[in-house]
Amino acid sequence: MLLLAALSAAAKGDWKGKVVDEKGEPVAYANVAVLSRADSTVVCGTVTEEDGTFNIKTSETDGIMMVAILGYRTQYFKPVDGIIITLVEDTSLLEAAAVQAVMPKTKLTGEGLQTNVHGSVLENAGSANDVLAKTPGLIKSQNGLEVIGKGSPLVYINGRKVTDPTELDRLQSNEIQSIEVITNPGAQYDATVRSVVRIKTVRRQGEGFGFSVNASDAQSLRWAKGNDQTGAFNMNYRTGGVDIFGGVNYAGISQRQLSDSQTASYSLKNGVTSVFENKGTIDAPFFRNSLSGNLGANWQIADNHFLGGKVEFGRALLNHDMSTISLKVYEDGSLIDELNTVSEDMMGSVPETRLGANLYYNGVIGEKLGVDVNFDYYGTDDSMNSTATETSSMAMDATLRSTSRNSARMYAAKAVLSYPIWMGQLQAGTEESFTRRSDEYRIDGISIPASSAQVKEDNYAAFATYGFYLPKAGQFSAGVRYEYVRYAYEDALNPASDLSRKYGRFFPTFSYANAFGPVQVLFNYSAKTQRPKYSNLSGAIRYNSRYIWQSGNAMLQPQVTHDVSLTALWKFITASVDYNRTNDAMMTWSSPYHAEGVYDGVVLVKPVNIDTPYRRMTAFVNATPSLGAFTLNYTVGVLSQWLSLTMDDPREASGKRLVSFNGQPIFFAQLFNTLTLKGGWQFELGGAFNSSGYEQNVRLVNPVFNLTAAVQKTLLKDGSLVLRLEGDDLAGMNHYSFDTDFGSHTIQQTNVMDTQRIKFSVRYNFNAAKSKYRGTGAGADEKARM
């Protein structure tokens, strides 16, 4: 967050101090300025560090010291060296906070919404994932946690990017101080990042050894084999300026999907439209077990100088996917085959592994120049052996065996400098990432070409952001990022698919925040991009079943999204509306596939760029009132889109058909109720609802409802032992069905998901200390794409 800072004059006075809130917690990035007594103009100023400290050197010896930050009352003092300034929340913005002691307080920052977790009812919500699902601005969907209207966010914990999603299950709610949902990431973030969640943990005092242990077991109520087990041990040792931390984690996950599916593909055969239909069932369970860990150290060399490093590693112990597909195949209404396919995917000779490392320096050179430098490495390897046994009633049986092996390496560096200039603070930097990836695929039993591809991508970026805060006028921030990408794809076995490209683009951002009476308002604009995942760029054809093949698309282009949003906060009510337009939007597409030796009725599924802009609007209202021991957290909203596509369709005389995916918005709601009682008891009842409607080129057919409940007991005097029992999808209605229209190919599918579960968890903390790790990482987008 960029706030007011001013250029110092020649130093004569030297005033140091600290800014804290009413609980004694440090207030970071507060504006500290010295005003002239003659005309109240700003003489010089700075912003507080993360620990709330500041240092002003100025020639002004008889000025007025002003401290200001959005959400707190502006304070004025006579400058005194060593002063401790306590900021008081603006009661016009947070009215009735005193009688809503357990309500999580939310306020606007210059980038999004910040919700205080520590001391609120969210402190006992369970894991970090449980807290995030109940944080204003976030919603839990079929795709996991999403920032409303922005998609899946990039998550940071104490400035460190999360690369292992299970870390959010290991981090417990009582360790979290606050959560900031950033809806307009600035230019310092990769242009692909549309939203960020920054988690700040509770500051622990003292030194020595501490550890935390947590474990959980979740049992499916629909499937006896559906059982998830997790366990984690994390430690921290701190002495002097040295902090050593590490941990090891285990996760066992299982899931099952039952589906009824019906597809139809249309093509011209001897000048006449022919239709192939597949009608059948799918039973697809999977099992995954993994072990991961991390080890790192931080060293506070001196005041405002930090150095550290960290290594993260992970390995799959089991990766076993299975599916049974039973189909009846019709051509022009006549049954031509009954096909049963049993598939099994298992780890190959190279188990799925990942290794990441980060080195960082964070500090202040001189009195004002902030420096943040990160070097990152990230590597992944995996291989898979797949077998598909097909039994046909009217054609030859077949057994197909395929092998795949993938390897990727990413090297990245990022440097950010910050310096106070005039009435604000300038932040500028550069980020580079270099990725090398190899993909090999071979299949026996069918005439699909093997592939051996090499992908090289180099990304160079430079960015700058300037921001300032003026009392009454508000907080302003503007930035721009330029990215230049070189990409090359080479397939040694299919040289005709080789491709290379270069492209560069500017991505601007702007934000404005202010308080108008009791209402806080935030306006954002940004231009962002999304680059294809590497697997989506492979031209190799993969065999899913006799009638469904899949490939990437080496011609796939990045999509660019222009986004504007307006957010307002009044007391415990937050309202937001977001509109975006995406050019060259990437969507999954399927169409009949015709080639020599290929069965009639085969469709090829691959990603494409659509040739018309994709427009979408999202609006929501969140309310978090408290009624005595009850705390309510209600979110209601709507998602509407505008998308019409002209598709190939041999059923039409023109060979084309206009398909509209408009007119049926999706309404959604999340309703969480919490009852907190004495003795460490907490009871929760919640529900999440999604109506039917359109999202991209898919129509969600049925409404979805997820009923949840939990009971929790906190034990021991310091609350370090917590027992929790919770249930998910208790009404058995959290199942989505969909249909889609690709012109020459249509799909209707009804799903029953293995989401109805009971989970028991236990966690214990002993002298747990917050890690001082300050590395922010580089190459975040590349890690996600790998």
Side-chain angles (χ1 to χ4, degrees):
M1 179 174 62
L2 296 172
L3 298 171
L4 172 66
L7 183 65
S8 291
K12 287 186 179 179
D14 187 355
W15 294 315
K16 298 179 180 179
K18 185 174 184 179
V19 179
V20 299
D21 62 16
E22 294 171 283
K23 296 181 180 179
E25 293 289 335
V27 177
Y29 312 116
N31 316 294
V32 184
V34 175
L35 312 179
S36 169
R37 284 187 180 273
D39 55 10
S40 297
T41 59
V42 176
V43 177
C44 65
T46 187
V47 294
T48 59
E49 301 292 336
E50 286 193 0
D51 60 359
T53 60
F54 65 88
N55 185 4
I56 293 182
K57 290 187 177 182
T58 176
S59 58
E60 181 70 40
T61 58
D62 188 30
I64 300 172
M65 183 176 290
M66 179 191 74
V67 181
I69 186 172
L70 193 67
Y72 293 89
R73 293 179 183 173
T74 300
Q75 305 276 20
Y76 298 90
F77 300 89
K78 179 179 180 180
V80 176
D81 188 34
I83 188 173
I84 297 179
I85 301 169
T86 302
L87 294 183
V88 179
E89 290 179 335
D90 193 331
T91 55
S92 66
L93 302 179
L94 296 171
E95 186 176 303
V99 298
Q100 298 168 355
V102 299
M103 181 190 73
K105 301 174 186 176
T106 299
K107 64 180 180 180
L108 282 177
T109 67
E111 296 173 298
L113 295 164
Q114 185 182 73
T115 299
N116 183 57
V117 175
H118 187 59
S120 78
V121 69
L122 293 181
E123 184 176 14
N124 297 312
S127 68
N129 270 326
D130 296 320
V131 178
L132 291 172
K134 301 174 183 178
T135 300
L138 288 165
I139 193 167
K140 190 174 182 180
S141 71
Q142 296 287 350
N143 299 320
L145 287 167
E146 295 184 356
V147 174
I148 298 176
K150 303 285 187 175
S152 300
L154 203 61
V155 180
Y156 288 81
I157 299 176
N158 297 329
R160 174 182 58 80
K161 193 182 78 67
V162 174
T163 57
D164 181 4
T166 62
E167 185 171 357
L168 296 177
D169 288 318
R170 302 193 302 268
L171 179 65
Q172 300 303 307
S173 56
N174 63 348
E175 301 176 77
I176 299 174
Q177 176 69 40
S178 63
I179 294 174
E180 185 176 8
V181 179
I182 299 174
T183 55
N184 187 40
Q188 68 270 32
Y189 294 98
D190 190 289
T192 63
V193 179
R194 295 190 60 205
S195 59
V196 170
V197 170
R198 289 200 294 232
I199 299 174
K200 182 180 179 181
T201 60
V202 175
R203 183 180 298 274
R204 306 293 185 182
Q205 304 297 326
E207 299 187 345
F209 176 77
F211 69 88
S212 65
V213 180
N214 63 77
S216 69
D217 187 286
Q219 176 60 47
S220 169
L221 300 181
R222 290 181 174 271
W223 182 40
K225 295 182 179 180
N227 183 260
D228 296 349
Q229 297 177 345
T230 65
F233 173 81
N234 295 281
M235 57 75 63
N236 185 285
Y237 179 72
R238 182 181 300 166
T239 178
V242 177
D243 178 34
I244 301 172
F245 62 92
V248 61
N249 317 281
Y250 168 82
I253 300 173
S254 60
Q255 187 61 265
R256 188 187 189 190
Q257 175 179 329
L258 301 175
S259 304
D260 290 320
S261 176
Q262 180 173 333
T263 68
S265 60
Y266 304 90
S267 60
L268 287 177
K269 198 172 184 180
N270 300 322
V272 179
T273 301
S274 178
V275 57
F276 272 82
E277 296 177 281
N278 294 333
K279 300 178 182 180
T281 62
I282 303 171
D283 184 352
F286 73 78
F287 302 89
R288 290 187 175 91
N289 297 339
S290 63
L291 191 66
S292 61
N294 65 86
L295 183 65
N298 309 283
W299 179 26
Q300 184 172 354
I301 305 171
D303 289 344
N304 295 323
H305 292 280
F306 301 87
L307 185 68
K310 178 187 57 154
V311 175
E312 293 181 310
F313 52 90
R315 175 169 176 159
L317 305 177
L318 174 67
N319 196 340
H320 191 186
D321 291 20
M322 296 170 285
S323 67
T324 300
I325 305 175
S326 300
L327 294 177
K328 290 186 177 181
V329 184
Y330 299 85
E331 181 178 9
D332 298 328
S334 300
L335 180 68
I336 62 170
D337 197 4
E338 293 188 33
L339 183 66
N340 189 70
T341 304
V342 178
S343 302
E344 189 172 26
D345 302 332
M346 300 190 69
M347 285 191 304
S349 58
V350 179
E352 180 181 334
T353 57
R354 59 178 176 83
L355 177 65
N358 169 257
L359 292 174
Y360 78 90
Y361 167 77
N362 182 282
V364 178
I365 298 177
E367 294 293 336
K368 298 180 180 180
L369 180 62
V371 179
D372 188 0
V373 180
N374 283 265
F375 300 95
D376 278 72
Y377 165 82
Y378 189 71
T380 63
D381 293 277
D382 68 85
S383 64
M384 188 71 68
N385 295 331
S386 303
T387 302
T389 302
E390 298 179 344
T391 305
S392 172
S393 64
M394 301 182 185
M396 292 182 60
D397 297 344
T399 299
L400 301 97
R401 293 181 173 85
S402 63
T403 60
S404 63
R405 180 168 179 176
N406 309 294
S407 179
R409 302 290 183 269
M410 187 276 297
Y411 308 88
K414 184 176 183 179
V416 184
L417 303 179
S418 58
Y419 195 81
I421 295 179
W422 188 56
M423 295 293 291
Q425 180 164 283
L426 176 67
Q427 187 180 71
T430 180
E431 183 174 11
E432 294 79 31
S433 64
F434 308 93
T435 303
R436 303 293 182 264
R437 181 182 174 94
S438 63
D439 297 297
E440 296 183 2
Y441 177 76
R442 286 173 172 78
I443 185 169
D444 299 322
I446 195 169
S447 58
I448 292 179
S451 66
S452 179
Q454 300 286 330
V455 176
K456 299 179 181 179
E457 183 170 301
D458 300 335
N459 190 318
Y460 305 86
F463 55 87
T465 303
Y466 183 72
F468 60 94
Y469 176 78
L470 292 176
K472 297 183 180 180
Q475 179 174 317
F476 301 82
S477 178
V480 64
R481 182 183 180 100
Y482 178 77
E483 293 191 354
Y484 176 76
V485 178
R486 295 187 307 189
Y487 170 81
Y489 174 90
E490 298 178 356
D491 190 335
L493 303 181
N494 303 281
S497 63
D498 291 357
L499 176 71
S500 65
R501 65 168 73 122
K502 301 176 183 178
Y503 45 84
R505 189 181 180 95
F506 287 96
F507 299 94
T509 62
F510 173 79
S511 69
Y512 168 73
N514 200 6
F516 299 93
V519 180
Q520 301 175 63
V521 175
L522 172 65
F523 172 80
N524 287 323
Y525 163 77
S526 66
K528 297 291 183 179
T529 188
Q530 180 181 336
R531 287 183 281 272
K533 294 182 179 180
Y534 288 108
S535 58
N536 286 340
L537 292 170
S538 172
I541 295 178
R542 307 294 175 102
Y543 187 90
N544 284 357
S545 69
R546 180 169 294 189
Y547 294 102
I548 301 177
W549 297 5
Q550 186 172 352
S551 78
N553 181 359
M555 301 300 293
L556 204 60
Q557 294 289 329
Q559 66 181 36
V560 176
T561 300
H562 296 272
D563 189 289
V564 292
S565 64
L566 181 66
T567 303
L569 190 152
W570 176 71
K571 295 185 179 179
F572 54 79
I573 299 175
T574 303
S576 181
V577 59
D578 178 274
Y579 172 83
N580 60 67
R581 171 187 168 127
T582 302
N583 298 324
D584 297 319
M586 294 182 292
M587 295 186 183
T588 300
W589 209 261
S590 67
S591 58
Y593 180 64
H594 303 289
E596 186 177 352
V598 176
Y599 295 108
D600 288 338
V602 170
V603 296
L604 182 65
V605 181
K606 67 178 183 179
V608 299
N609 295 109
I610 63 172
D611 57 4
T612 186
Y614 172 53
R615 296 172 296 149
R616 156 174 162 152
M617 184 183 72
T618 307
F620 75 90
V621 176
N622 171 266
T624 55
S626 284
L627 304 172
F630 284 96
T631 299
L632 312 181
N633 188 336
Y634 290 176
T635 299
V636 294
V638 60
L639 185 156
S640 185
Q641 67 175 32
W642 295 266
L643 178 64
S644 296
L645 301 173
T646 300
M647 306 177 181
D648 294 330
D649 190 343
R651 293 173 293 177
E652 301 292 329
S654 64
K656 301 287 185 179
R657 179 164 58 91
L658 181 66
V659 179
S660 175
F661 299 94
N662 308 322
Q664 190 177 0
I666 295 176
F667 296 92
F668 59 88
Q670 285 194 161
L671 311 174
F672 296 111
N673 307 273
T674 303
L675 173 63
T676 304
L677 301 177
K678 294 181 179 180
W681 287 99
Q682 181 168 299
F683 300 89
E684 302 170 20
L685 181 65
F689 169 82
N690 273 67
S691 73
S692 57
Y694 286 106
E695 184 166 5
Q696 291 196 343
N697 57 338
V698 174
R699 185 175 75 94
L700 302 178
V701 175
N702 63 297
V704 175
F705 178 67
N706 182 19
L707 178 65
T708 61
V711 57
Q712 180 171 291
K713 172 65 174 174
T714 301
L715 302 170
L716 304 184
K717 290 184 178 180
D718 59 355
S720 57
L721 178 62
V722 178
L723 307 179
R724 183 178 176 86
L725 180 66
E726 56 191 293
D728 198 41
D729 189 22
L730 296 177
M733 299 172 61
N734 191 22
H735 314 295
Y736 65 94
S737 301
F738 69 90
D739 61 41
T740 190
D741 188 342
F742 300 105
S744 57
H745 183 225
T746 61
I747 303 173
Q748 295 87 39
Q749 185 166 307
T750 301
N751 302 307
V752 175
M753 312 300 293
D754 178 32
T755 52
Q756 195 170 29
R757 300 200 167 201
I758 296 294
K759 178 180 177 181
F760 176 75
S761 61
V762 57
R763 66 177 186 262
Y764 175 72
N765 295 327
F766 172 76
N767 192 30
K770 168 188 170 184
S771 171
K772 296 181 180 180
Y773 202 76
R774 301 167 71 94
T776 56
D781 175 59
E782 291 304 299
K783 296 175 186 175
R785 294 170 70 202
M786 290 166 59

